[in-house]
């Protein structure tokens, strides 16, 4: 059982190690909840600077956030990925606490996440959502969470069990070295892949996860965003594990080539004739493409390894957490 430090304990620890903490809240039409969210994080993390990144809200989100004491920055390019990229570029801190502005993430869990990051000297702590696989707001979302988390673990390893959680705490060196190329809700997946690829020290801690209050509407579109996230899975697999990606493609092409070609070969051995000449050409072409795919995978795997080495070298140039 992980103990939750009080706000005063957090403030004392923060002062002792001299850490600048920022709470960063991406928001799109969250006027109904943002004031309470800001107040909750201000109470849970005294001394932290709270930023609200307004992503073209059509309601009074920005005005309400300013009135509640947050620093409001507007990001005009629509999509959570654009907001996160702007967050990490604009805000300079030692610790970044990211949550949503809809009030579903419990601010009282934030000191526990920050404490884990500091004491265990981690680069990212993910607040996994308690019960999200049973009820993520809609039954379709719960099924999607189980499916996508399973696919992620098969593709990239089992470092994470809730890749879509938006409740995360980052070190400065993670924030300043994360490339952030995604545009929308798939940004959390990219964060998880980045941490897994560089083998960064990370942890998951279970946190409370509430339902949206009346008047707050989910921005997630089940099928559109689901297909987008799945496409990002394969894109990141191609970029980070090209030998696996192109090797799998080569294996499928090889099987197809053998399925078409073996009957032709058997017929030739029996009769000395090749009556199905187009089929023979197709089988040979598939085998050539399979060989090319396997070779591309081997070459790109070397390139990918070099990119990982460069990322790690750049990571080491960034300031880490000071020793308590």
């Amino acid at each position: 059982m992980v103990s939750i430090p009080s706000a005063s304990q957090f403030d004392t620890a923060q002062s002792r190690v001299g850490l600048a903490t920022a709470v960063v809240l991406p928001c799109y039409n969250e006027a109904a909840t943002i004031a309470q969210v800001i107040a909750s994080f201000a109470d849970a993390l005294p001394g932290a600077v709270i930023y609200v990144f307004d992503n073209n809200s059509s309601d009074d989100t920005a005005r309400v956030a300013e009135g509640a004491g947050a620093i409001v920055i507007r990001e005009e390019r629509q999509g959570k990925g654009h907001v996160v990229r702007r967050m990490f570029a604009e805000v300079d801190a030692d610790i970044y606490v990211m949550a949503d502005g809809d009030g579903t993430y419990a601010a009282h869990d934030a000191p526990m996440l920050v404490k884990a990051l500091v004491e265990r000297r981690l680069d990212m702590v993910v607040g996994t959502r308690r019960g999200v696989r049973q009820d993520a707001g809609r039954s379709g979302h719960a099924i999607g969470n189980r499916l996508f988390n399973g696919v992620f673990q098969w593709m990239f390893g089992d470092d994470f069990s809730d890749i879509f959680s938006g409740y995360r705490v980052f070190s400065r060196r993670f924030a300043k070295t994360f490339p952030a190329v995604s545009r929308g809700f798939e940004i959390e997946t990219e964060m998880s892949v980045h941490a897994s690829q560089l083998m960064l020290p990370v942890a998951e801690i279970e946190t409370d996860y509430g339902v949206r209050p009346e008047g707050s509407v989910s921005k997630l579109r089940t099928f559109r965003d689901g297909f987008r996230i799945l496409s990002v899975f394969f894109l990141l697999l191609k970029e980070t594990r090209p030998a696996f990606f192109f090797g799998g493609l080569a294996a499928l092409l090889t099987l197809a080539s053998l399925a078409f070609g073996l009957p032709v070969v058997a017929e030739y051995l029996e009769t000395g004739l090749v009556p199905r000449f187009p089929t023979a050409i197709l089988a040979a072409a598939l085998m050539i493409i399979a060989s090319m795919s396997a070779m591309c995978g081997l070459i790109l795997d070397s390139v990918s390894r070099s990119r990982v080495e460069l990322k790690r070298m750049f990571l080491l140039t960034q300031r880490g957490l000071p020793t308590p």
Side-chain angles (χ1 to χ4, degrees):
M1 180 67 67
V2 180
S3 61
I4 301 177
S6 66
S8 60
Q9 289 173 322
F10 165 79
D11 197 32
T12 301
Q14 182 193 38
S15 300
R16 185 174 68 250
V17 297
L19 297 176
T21 303
V23 177
V24 286
L25 304 170
C27 288
Y28 174 61
N29 289 344
E30 302 292 2
T33 57
I34 190 60
Q36 181 58 43
V37 171
I38 293 169
S40 298
F41 275 102
D43 182 60
L45 301 174
V49 182
I50 300 178
Y51 296 83
V52 168
F53 283 77
D54 180 43
N55 196 200
N56 290 326
S57 295
S58 57
D59 62 8
D60 290 332
T61 296
R63 182 182 61 80
V64 172
E66 286 181 347
I71 298 173
V72 177
I73 298 175
R74 184 175 178 85
E75 171 52 54
E76 296 184 354
R77 287 170 296 185
Q78 201 69 42
K80 190 173 183 180
H82 293 303
V83 175
V84 170
R85 189 160 39 248
R86 185 76 179 275
M87 283 177 177
F88 290 163
E90 293 282 349
V91 178
D92 192 27
D94 295 304
I95 299 172
Y96 297 76
V97 180
M98 184 180 79
D100 291 341
D102 57 14
T104 53
Y105 295 113
H108 64 251
D109 286 327
M112 172 176 61
L113 303 180
V114 172
K115 181 180 179 183
L117 186 88
V118 175
E119 292 188 349
R120 296 165 61 180
R121 306 187 65 76
L122 304 173
D123 281 310
M124 180 170 67
V125 178
V126 181
T128 59
R129 298 166 291 176
R130 186 176 290 115
V132 71
R133 293 195 177 194
Q134 285 70 47
D135 180 13
R138 302 182 212 169
S139 59
H141 288 185
I143 295 171
N145 266 281
R146 291 195 295 271
L147 174 63
F148 284 122
N149 277 287
V151 172
F152 179 90
Q153 290 173 358
W154 174 66
M155 287 183 172
F156 303 105
D158 57 359
D159 289 337
F160 301 97
S161 61
D162 187 7
I163 59 171
F164 298 134
S165 174
Y167 201 4
R168 299 179 183 231
V169 178
F170 309 98
S171 67
R172 184 182 188 279
R173 65 182 179 185
F174 184 100
K176 296 305 182 182
T177 59
F178 175 56
V181 298
S182 299
R183 294 182 297 175
F185 285 106
E186 62 273 16
I187 189 68
E188 286 94 353
T189 302
E190 187 186 351
M191 290 175 176
S192 300
V193 172
H194 178 69
S196 295
Q197 185 187 29
L198 295 187
M199 294 180 284
L200 300 178
V202 298
E204 289 187 323
I205 297 177
E206 194 172 64
T207 59
D208 290 331
Y209 182 63
V211 296
R212 284 176 171 270
E214 187 176 351
S216 178
V217 180
S218 174
K219 312 324 183 280
L220 183 65
R221 299 182 183 179
T222 303
F223 293 104
R224 188 199 68 175
D225 290 319
F227 284 122
R228 179 184 295 176
I229 291 167
L230 189 60
S231 66
V232 168
F233 273 16
F234 284 99
L235 175 64
L236 292 172
L237 184 67
K238 177 180 72 70
E239 294 296 319
T240 61
R241 300 185 63 193
F244 180 83
F245 180 87
F246 287 100
L249 181 60
L252 291 175
L253 291 170
T254 299
L255 290 175
S257 175
L258 293 175
F260 285 113
L262 286 178
V264 175
V265 172
E267 195 170 15
Y268 172 76
L269 293 176
E270 182 179 347
T271 65
L273 301 174
V274 185
R276 292 185 291 174
F277 202 64
T279 303
I281 294 175
L282 175 61
L286 288 174
M287 187 60 74
I288 292 171
I289 297 172
S291 300
M292 293 175 61
S293 179
M295 188 60 64
C296 286
L298 291 175
I299 295 171
L300 291 175
D301 188 65
S302 297
V303 175
S304 178
R305 288 176 181 272
S306 297
R307 290 177 60 193
V308 170
E309 291 172 359
L310 290 174
K311 287 180 180 180
R312 286 200 63 85
M313 291 173 65
F314 182 60
L315 183 81
L316 295 174
T317 66
Q318 301 300 307
R319 183 178 74 247
L321 293 172
T323 303

